[in-house]
Amino acid sequence: MTEMLSYDFMQRALLAAVLVGITAPAVGIYLVQRRQALMGDGMGHVAMTGVGLGFIFQTSPVWMAVLVCVLGAVTMELVRSRGNQRGDIALAMLFYGGMACGKLLVSLSAQAGAGSLESYLWGSILTVAPADLTAIAVLGAVVIAVTVGLRRQLFAICQDEDFARVTGLPVRTLNLLLAVMAAVTVTVAMRVVGLLLVSALMVVPVVAAQQLTRSFAATQAASIALGVVVSLAGVTGSYHLNVPSGPAIVLLAIAVFAVFSVIAAPLARRRHRAGADPGPRECDVQLPGQGSTPGRGSAKGSSRGPSDATTPERRAGLAQ
């Protein structure tokens, strides 16, 4: 361990792993909540175009990927909000076009080579340069500030957009903000996890934490803690085994999910025998402009699915 920490590149890699372990689940919990678990995967495809542009113009692939990913995320959200039946086709073209364009641009650049794109696809502890670490730290701080600072508002739009709109929340703006944060997270994580696996780190720690937690806040905290642990363990294992860091991190996360699932099964049966309510887990969400009186001041929401706060009767009571 001491020998590993004596290398500057490993110090940068471990610090980047901590930042990625925090930011990926912090955004992923909202994507899981609104059943968009594969959004990160699509953003990873689009980010390849940004990496290719970075190679072509000999500038930072991270910042170019941020720009391209943000534009792609805004396009995705606009297509999704319109509810067009052809939206899936448009998104598929965006995703696969981004991947094809990225590969083409990389092949035309002066940095073309098998290893130049490989490290972005699967992650590599050797590629975290000081400039990359600075970018990851800045972008990660923005993502954490938004996802934690606007937790109640983002939870509301993920739970029920119509209910959130009735309470006066700017639903369109919050949806776009969440999509942009997901895009930024993809670029933050691509050095450590890789573009092809970043979606797994955004989703697996969240669903693993859901096995044992009973509230949205607890799930968010537990998933971030799991993200940090598996990221650090994966980077450490990749150093000792000489394997890409991305696959190591994701496989560890899946192993944790499997263990938590085994542990959660008897606990659920025990609660059921004891007569506990096995229903959805809840957390109080205080929305802007609401008081604290019953039926008006708090909305109950589940970290797994719709709750009584989003039923027509409950919404009617809150809207009065």
Side-chain angles (χ1 to χ4, degrees):
M1 187 62 149
T2 305
E3 178 188 356
M4 182 181 69
L5 294 176
S6 65
Y7 297 107
D8 291 341
F9 75 91
M10 279 307 302
Q11 295 174 10
R12 294 192 297 268
L14 291 172
L15 183 55
V18 171
L19 295 172
V20 169
I22 295 173
T23 55
V27 172
I29 190 170
Y30 300 107
L31 301 184
V32 171
Q33 186 75 16
R34 66 193 307 174
R35 296 176 176 85
Q36 291 181 335
L38 294 179
M39 180 179 178
D41 187 55
M43 284 292 94
H45 288 59
V46 175
M48 287 183 62
T49 296
V51 173
L53 289 173
F55 283 4
I56 287 288
F57 294 109
Q58 297 184 357
T59 185
S60 171
V62 174
W63 290 110
M64 290 300 296
V66 169
L67 176 61
V68 173
C69 259
V70 167
L71 293 176
V74 171
T75 302
M76 283 178 58
E77 180 55 34
L78 293 177
V79 171
R80 186 196 69 84
S81 62
R82 292 185 178 183
N84 193 322
Q85 292 183 351
R86 291 184 172 269
D88 289 343
I89 299 176
L91 292 179
M93 290 184 178
L94 177 66
F95 296 160
Y96 297 126
M99 177 177 282
C101 184
K103 175 60 178 176
L104 183 63
L105 291 173
V106 170
S107 66
L108 294 175
S109 71
Q111 304 178 48
S116 58
L117 188 59
E118 185 83 2
S119 62
Y120 289 93
L121 294 179
W122 302 106
S124 174
I125 58 175
L126 299 176
T127 61
V128 183
D132 294 326
L133 185 59
T134 301
I136 291 172
V138 171
L139 295 173
V142 173
V143 172
I144 295 167
V146 171
T147 54
V148 176
L150 298 178
R151 178 176 65 88
R152 300 178 186 278
Q153 291 85 347
L154 293 175
F155 175 86
I157 65 167
C158 292
Q159 193 69 18
D160 190 325
E161 289 189 6
D162 293 333
F163 169 69
R165 192 173 287 108
V166 167
T167 64
L169 291 176
V171 173
R172 172 65 66 84
T173 301
L174 289 171
N175 278 331
L176 287 173
L177 182 62
L178 181 58
V180 169
M181 291 301 101
V184 171
T185 302
V186 168
T187 58
V188 166
M190 68 181 181
R191 283 298 206 183
V192 177
V193 186
L195 294 174
L196 296 182
L197 296 175
V198 61
S199 184
L201 191 59
M202 297 170 74
V203 172
V204 178
V206 175
V207 296
Q210 283 182 337
Q211 305 302 310
L212 300 179
T213 55
R214 301 292 295 173
S215 71
F216 182 84
T219 300
Q220 187 177 47
S223 62
I224 290 174
L226 286 175
V228 172
V229 170
V230 297
S231 296
L232 287 174
V235 169
T236 302
S238 68
Y239 169 80
H240 290 292
L241 300 176
N242 194 26
V243 296
S245 55
I249 291 172
V250 172
L251 289 176
L252 280 174
I254 293 174
V256 170
F257 169 74
V259 171
F260 280 20
S261 297
V262 172
I263 296 174
L267 291 178
R269 288 194 296 268
R270 192 176 305 160
R271 284 194 298 264
H272 182 71
R273 286 196 299 267
D277 180 14
R281 299 164 298 169
E282 298 176 344
C283 78
D284 291 327
V285 178
Q286 187 78 29
L287 297 177
Q290 293 183 329
S292 59
T293 58
R296 297 178 64 89
S298 65
K300 296 287 187 178
S302 163
S303 64
R304 278 187 171 175
S307 65
D308 57 355
T310 59
T311 60
E313 295 81 6
R314 182 66 168 161
R315 287 200 301 266
L318 290 170
Q320 292 177 354

